[in-house]
């Protein structure tokens, strides 16, 4: 019988010594199945009509609410840092029960200013939702008794809003409201008005999540406790419902969405993995405000390395099958990836 401690016997017990593939950076690079590319990133931008100067967002270091003027300088810096794709969140000064055309003037003016200044040097997607416009903070128009969102009224208003953004020069409309049938309505109104070149990126698998807190602070869109409809769980997806998440993405694609998004990112990477195998469309993943802030707050306490943490998260999104990453740290991607 062989001596169990001899080299030969050990090799028989551990025949595949895969640590050889981790031994140095050269072989780790060769063995890597994924690599990050800053060109896959989208940088969110907040522009708040009420501000006279830019203001840093609570918990989100490096993320500012901009003014209509300061956002242009911010984009200029981002372009220099290698970012060309943006997702704009306009925050209007007024709120109402039923937003109307004039309420979208500010959003349209920001889109127009950005495109006038940067034209084809940037790709500008604009978030499409009513939650920053409604006094109750819900993503659509509320019934008179305050118990539910009116789907038809909401979709009609969103389609009008989408047309305003397209007229102003948006390259992409990104509806985040989760009303039924809005992709079809938006695609139809764009096509009927010769905006067939404007893309639609649908927040298709968007979950009712606890991770949107910092964003709602910035966008002043926290659902009010004074109306009967509480929270967003009657229109955003349930964490427990897998088939709804997959079907919602398939429906939006069938209705004419060009890009499908999953949001938040980390708790839903199983959805990303499944959709990347099912759908013939680019898949975007949104590392949302609460997820971003959790990294930033840990880093601020010196408990983790900010750069390493974001790079690890981004790689996990790619590994799950996402082709597009929406991250509040997108403006760091080029520098960080080059430095790898
Ligand atoms: C609005 C909207 C939300 C986000 C994007 N669009 C939040 C919400 O549903 O309240 C979240 C983005 C983030 O947290 O970074 N419908």
């Amino acid at each position: 019988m062989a001596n169990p401690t001899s080299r030969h016997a050990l090799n028989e017990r551990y025949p595949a010594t895969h640590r050889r593939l981790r031994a140095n950076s050269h072989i780790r690079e060769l063995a890597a199945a994924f690599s990050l590319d800053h060109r896959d990133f989208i940088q969110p931008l907040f522009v708040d009509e009420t501000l006279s100067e830019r203001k840093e967002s609570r918990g989100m270091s490096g993320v500012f609410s901009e003014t209509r003027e300061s956002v242009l300088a911010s984009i200029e810096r981002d372009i220099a840092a290698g970012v060309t794709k943006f997702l704009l969140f306009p925050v209007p000064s007024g709120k109402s029960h039923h937003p109307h055309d004039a309420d979208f003037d500010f959003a349209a003016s920001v889109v127009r200013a950005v495109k006038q200044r940067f034209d084809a040097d940037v790709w500008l997607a604009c978030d499409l939702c009513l939650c920053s416009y409604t006094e109750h903070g819900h993503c659509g128009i509320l019934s008179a008794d305050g118990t539910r969102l009116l789907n038809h009224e909401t979709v009609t208003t969103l389609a009008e809003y989408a047309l305003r953004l397209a007229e102003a020069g948006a390259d992409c409309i990104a509806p985040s409201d989760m009303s039924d049938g809005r992709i079809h309505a938006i695609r139809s109104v764009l096509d009927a008005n010769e905006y067939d070149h404007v893309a639609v990126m649908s927040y298709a698998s968007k979950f009712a999540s606890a991770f949107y807190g910092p964003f709602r602070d910035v966008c002043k869109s926290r659902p009010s406790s004074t109306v009967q409809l509480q929270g967003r769980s009657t229109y955003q997806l349930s964490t427990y419902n897998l088939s709804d998440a997959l079907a919602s993405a398939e429906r939006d694609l069938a209705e004419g969405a060009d890009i499908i998004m999953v949001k938040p990112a980390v708790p839903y990477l199983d959805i990303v993995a499944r959709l990347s195998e099912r759908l013939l469309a680019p898949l975007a993943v949104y590392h949302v405000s609460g997820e971003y802030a959790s990294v930033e707050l840990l880093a601020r306490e010196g408990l983790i390395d900010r750069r390493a943490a974001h790079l690890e998260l981004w790689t996990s999104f790619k590994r799950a099958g996402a082709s597009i990453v929406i991250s509040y740290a997108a403006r760091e991607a080029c520098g960080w990836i080059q430095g790898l």
Side-chain angles (χ1 to χ4, degrees):
M1 232 175 63
N3 175 353
T5 60
S6 75
R7 285 180 78 84
H8 177 71
L10 276 177
N11 280 347
E12 271 184 358
R13 280 166 69 188
Y14 307 108
T17 307
H18 286 305
R19 280 198 298 166
R20 274 193 294 271
L21 293 176
R22 305 171 207 149
N24 56 57
S25 63
H26 304 293
I27 201 161
R28 284 197 298 273
E29 279 171 20
L30 291 173
F34 307 94
S35 56
L36 294 170
D37 186 333
H38 70 278
R39 290 173 299 188
D40 297 337
F41 283 73
I42 298 178
Q43 175 70 52
L45 295 171
F46 299 114
V47 185
D48 186 334
E49 190 177 13
T50 64
L51 293 179
S52 51
E53 57 185 77
R54 74 201 290 254
K55 181 174 133 200
E56 191 158 28
S57 314
R58 197 152 66 96
M60 297 175 74
S61 41
V63 179
F64 285 78
S65 288
E66 306 283 349
T67 70
R68 193 171 18 200
E69 291 70 37
S70 73
V71 74
L72 299 176
S74 171
I75 293 173
E76 205 155 283
R77 285 191 296 276
D78 287 345
I79 292 174
V83 183
T84 56
K85 294 105 178 169
F86 298 93
L87 176 57
L88 176 71
F89 292 94
V91 184
S93 57
K95 291 186 186 290
S96 69
H97 193 74
H98 188 148
H100 281 103
D101 201 45
D103 300 319
F104 307 129
D105 287 353
F106 173 70
S109 78
V110 177
V111 169
R112 192 166 283 115
V114 171
K115 290 303 284 184
Q116 260 169 12
R117 172 81 166 266
F118 299 102
D119 199 18
D121 290 346
V122 301
W123 181 85
L124 184 63
C126 190
D127 182 84
L128 185 82
C129 193
L130 301 179
C131 60
S132 295
Y133 291 86
T134 53
E135 61 217 358
H136 43 71
H138 280 294
C139 298
I141 292 159
L142 203 57
S143 61
D145 62 1
T147 58
R148 65 197 172 91
L149 287 187
L150 301 175
N151 199 73
H152 179 72
E153 280 78 353
T154 301
V155 168
T156 307
T157 306
L158 287 171
E160 287 164 9
Y161 184 9
L163 184 58
R164 292 292 308 278
L165 297 170
E167 282 166 357
D171 296 289
C172 177
I173 308 296
S176 66
D177 56 293
M178 293 300 283
S179 308
D180 289 330
R182 88 270 205 220
I183 303 299
H184 173 73
I186 293 163
R187 189 68 270 162
S188 305
V189 80
L190 294 178
D191 291 352
N193 289 277
E194 295 188 9
Y195 292 108
D196 48 293
H197 55 286
V198 174
V200 174
M201 173 164 70
S202 176
Y203 292 67
S205 297
K206 172 174 175 178
F207 290 84
S209 169
F211 286 94
Y212 302 144
F215 172 96
R216 291 180 185 168
D217 252 19
V218 173
C219 290
K220 302 165 189 162
S221 61
R222 199 172 297 284
S224 152
S225 54
T226 63
V227 291
Q228 234 192 302
L229 185 63
Q230 294 290 296
R232 304 212 200 284
S233 50
T234 59
Y235 45 103
Q236 296 180 347
L237 295 170
S238 159
T239 307
Y240 300 93
N241 195 333
L242 174 62
S243 59
D244 203 10
L246 303 179
S248 173
E250 289 189 347
R251 270 196 306 271
D252 283 4
L253 195 58
E255 285 184 28
D258 300 286
I259 301 171
I260 295 295
M261 191 202 297
V262 175
K263 161 189 182 200
V266 177
Y268 302 102
L269 289 186
D270 59 322
I271 308 293
V272 175
R274 287 174 198 243
L275 287 179
S276 72
E277 285 175 5
R278 289 168 85 103
L279 301 183
L280 290 177
L283 199 56
V285 65
Y286 195 152
H287 193 229
V288 301
S289 58
E291 299 182 277
Y292 174 80
S294 62
V295 174
E296 296 302 311
L297 294 171
L298 281 167
R300 192 183 296 172
E301 291 296 314
L303 291 169
I304 60 171
D305 180 291
R306 176 172 185 247
R307 170 178 177 271
H310 282 295
L311 287 168
E312 183 176 341
L313 286 159
W314 294 343
T315 307
S316 77
F317 307 158
K318 286 279 162 183
R319 210 176 52 242
S323 44
I324 300 169
V325 177
I326 305 172
S327 165
Y328 291 99
R331 51 174 63 102
E332 314 265 22
C334 187
W336 283 349
I337 294 166
Q338 265 170 9
L340 276 178

